[in-house]
Structure formats: C-alpha cells, structure tokens
Amino acid sequence: MGSLLTAVKSKMHIFAHRKARGLLEGEYASIFRGNGLDFDDLRDYVPGDEVRDIDWKATARTGKPLIKRYVATRRQQLLLVADTGRNMAALAEGGEPKKDLAVMAMGVLGLLALGHGDSVALVHGDAAGTAALPAKGTEHHVEMLLRHMDAVGLDHEPSDLSSQLEYAAAHYRQRLLLVVIADDVLADPRLAKVVRRLHAQHEVLWVHIADAALAGPKAVQGTALDVAGMEPVLAFLAQDPVLARSYADAMAERARGLAEMLSAHGIATASIATTSEVIGQIFLLLERHRRGR
C-alpha cells in the first residue's frame, strides 16, 4: 500500500509552486501570530501579506518592501475532528469519494502543521462511537491519521458528527487550532450548542466536503445508494423538474442553516468538491480566518 502522505506531497508540488506554498505556510503561521511567536528573519513582500508585518526600516534601507517572519517559541497543536462514518464513503460533488477529499485536506493541514513545528491529533468516529489519537509531530503519525479516514467504507456505522465534536469539547481544554472535516450536516440545536462551546475554547475552522447532487442536471446517473440509510436511490427519477426544484430548495435551506450558524460565531469555512480544489480552498480558509479575527 502506497503512502497517503506522499501522494498529498506530490499533489501539493503539482498544484502549488514555491511562492504559493510560501503563502499557504504564511497563512497557517498567522493563526498563531502573537501567541508564542518570535521574530525570525525577513522575506520579500507578496500581495496578501499583512501590512502590519512590514519592516519599514528594512524596507527603507533596501528600497523594497520586506516582511517579518516569525517562528514558534512553543509548539502549538492542530486537532482534526473528522467524520469517519459511512457518509464519507459516498461520492462528493465532483464524483470522487468524499473520503479522498478528506484525506487530501487532512494531509495538507498536517504537513502545514509539521512544517510549523506543531503536533497533530485526531478525533474521529461515527454513530457507534468516537476515538482519539494523541498529538504527535511526525510524518509517520500523520500518515496513520490519514489511514483512519481512508479506511472508511459502507460497512461503517452512519455518521454522527455532533458526537465527535462533543468528545473534543469535553477532552481538549487547552486552546488549540481545531479543524472540522465533514460533509453536509444539519445545523440542529445539538450541533449549534457544541459548536458554540468549541468556539469559546478554540480557534475553529470548518472544511465542508460537498455532496454529490441527487437531482437536477448534475445528478448522479443510474441507481445510486443513500449510504446513510443504505437504501437505493433511483437517480433517473430525480430528473423530474418539480422534484429537482424541491431537492435544490431543501439542500439550499440546509446549507444556509449551517452557514448562518458558523457565521454567527465567526467560524471560517471552505467547501470542497474535488481533490484539485483542496489546496486553494485551504489557503482561502486560512485567509478568511485571519481576516475575520
């Protein structure tokens, strides 16, 4: 079996040239600015950098804008809270298994954390229970975390993201960066309560893996499977215009409810439909979080 993390590295190399990777790393580091960081050195300014980080004396001396870079004086912790219920075995909007997008997102975030000298932990599970893997700062450890997501199949129990979030809220008290990785979830009172609690405790970001369409012009063809209830869905029936409209309205309302709940707490989100979007969307996620602080 090949290394999942090596595959993530390869895709990062393809999709992000050196300057883009530097910007991505800078956005990750900015989350902890002012929280255990010391000045390290200077680098050239690139569009998108914080004006407050410009070293004006060095800029005047060299004739070009220079940015201060920082290093962590103590290790931070990245906690990934991931849905590993069988919902993640279904197809994403772009036609790939959702778990493949989740593995890519977890891998990118894990590599950013390791590059920053941070440790990475995982809370994951389904309706049958929740498991936690402790924080470590090695590539081997991150590989093991990715394998828990990659192992998701139709034999897993249904998803229950609120249980994993409640576990994180109960067991992680020290402030850390918490990134949720899940598909479409209903913003019910239980979810709203635990999200509010986590937001008060941690820096929270949300990665949304977009569902495949079951109705309308982008609907999956043939007979699909509703993995939550393990029941067949006759996708060709979803081409009915009335049904397609009703489905679109219901999904839009569900998405709007989650977006409004997260926005109310200032939680930055990114929606991902294909693996090729992951790096760009992670960059935008970190940028939104920085600008929203």
Side-chain angles (χ1 to χ4, degrees):
M1 183 183 295
S3 166
L4 296 171
L5 196 59
T6 298
V8 172
K9 286 181 179 179
S10 298
K11 291 182 179 179
M12 287 184 73
H13 179 74
I14 293 171
F15 294 121
H17 55 73
R18 184 175 179 181
K19 181 177 286 189
R21 286 199 301 272
L23 287 172
L24 186 62
E25 292 161 2
E27 289 295 342
Y28 177 86
S30 72
I31 293 175
F32 303 110
R33 186 62 45 80
N35 183 15
L37 292 178
D38 278 346
F39 171 74
D40 182 30
D41 62 5
L42 299 171
R43 65 165 173 81
D44 291 341
Y45 170 88
V46 294
D49 282 335
E50 289 278 6
V51 174
R52 67 185 179 185
D53 289 336
I54 294 177
D55 187 318
W56 294 107
K57 290 183 179 180
T59 295
R61 187 170 61 252
T62 62
K64 62 179 181 179
L66 296 173
I67 290 289
K68 299 175 184 176
R69 291 202 296 190
Y70 298 83
V71 294
T73 56
R74 66 175 183 271
R75 289 170 65 89
Q76 309 291 340
Q77 184 173 325
L78 166 65
L79 174 62
L80 301 171
V81 179
D83 172 11
T84 52
R86 65 172 176 246
N87 285 20
M88 298 303 285
L91 296 181
E93 184 179 310
E96 300 166 277
K98 293 178 190 176
K99 67 177 183 179
D100 289 359
L101 279 64
V103 165
M104 181 68 177
M106 291 167 64
V108 170
L109 289 163
L111 287 170
L112 288 173
L114 296 185
H116 195 252
D118 298 338
S119 56
V120 187
L122 172 66
V123 168
H124 72 99
D126 51 32
T130 299
L133 283 78
K136 296 182 181 180
T138 68
E139 289 194 0
H140 175 74
H141 177 67
V142 174
E143 174 74 21
M144 294 302 102
L145 305 189
L146 301 189
R147 291 200 177 279
H148 281 278
M149 176 59 73
D150 188 59
V152 171
L154 296 179
D155 57 337
H156 281 217
E157 294 297 319
S159 297
D160 183 15
L161 181 65
S162 291
S163 289
Q164 283 74 64
L165 295 175
E166 288 166 352
Y167 182 97
H171 291 83
Y172 294 84
R173 302 300 177 86
Q174 184 176 346
R175 193 166 186 84
L176 45 74
L177 173 61
L178 187 155
V179 182
V180 180
I181 299 177
D183 67 348
D184 293 318
V185 294
L186 179 65
D188 59 14
R190 181 187 176 197
L191 182 66
K193 180 180 179 180
V194 69
V195 166
R196 182 166 59 250
R197 181 178 173 186
L198 287 169
H199 174 66
Q201 292 174 299
H202 308 294
E203 300 277 352
V204 181
L205 290 79
W206 198 285
V207 175
H208 165 245
I209 309 298
D211 274 336
L214 297 179
K218 295 183 179 180
V220 294
Q221 300 300 309
T223 301
L225 187 69
D226 173 13
V227 299
M230 296 301 290
E231 297 176 347
V233 177
L234 298 179
F236 67 86
L237 295 178
Q239 301 302 322
D240 178 272
V242 175
L243 180 59
R245 259 195 319 273
S246 176
Y247 167 81
D249 290 344
M251 294 307 295
E253 182 177 356
R254 184 185 181 103
R256 186 165 51 249
L258 179 62
E260 289 176 353
M261 182 194 72
L262 297 176
S263 178
H265 297 297
I267 296 174
T269 64
S271 184
I272 301 172
T274 66
T275 52
S276 63
E277 296 178 353
V278 170
I279 294 172
Q281 287 299 316
I282 293 296
F283 174 82
L284 292 174
L285 175 68
L286 297 173
E287 183 181 44
R288 289 176 190 134
H289 179 74
R290 171 173 58 82
R291 295 187 182 279
R293 296 174 73 187

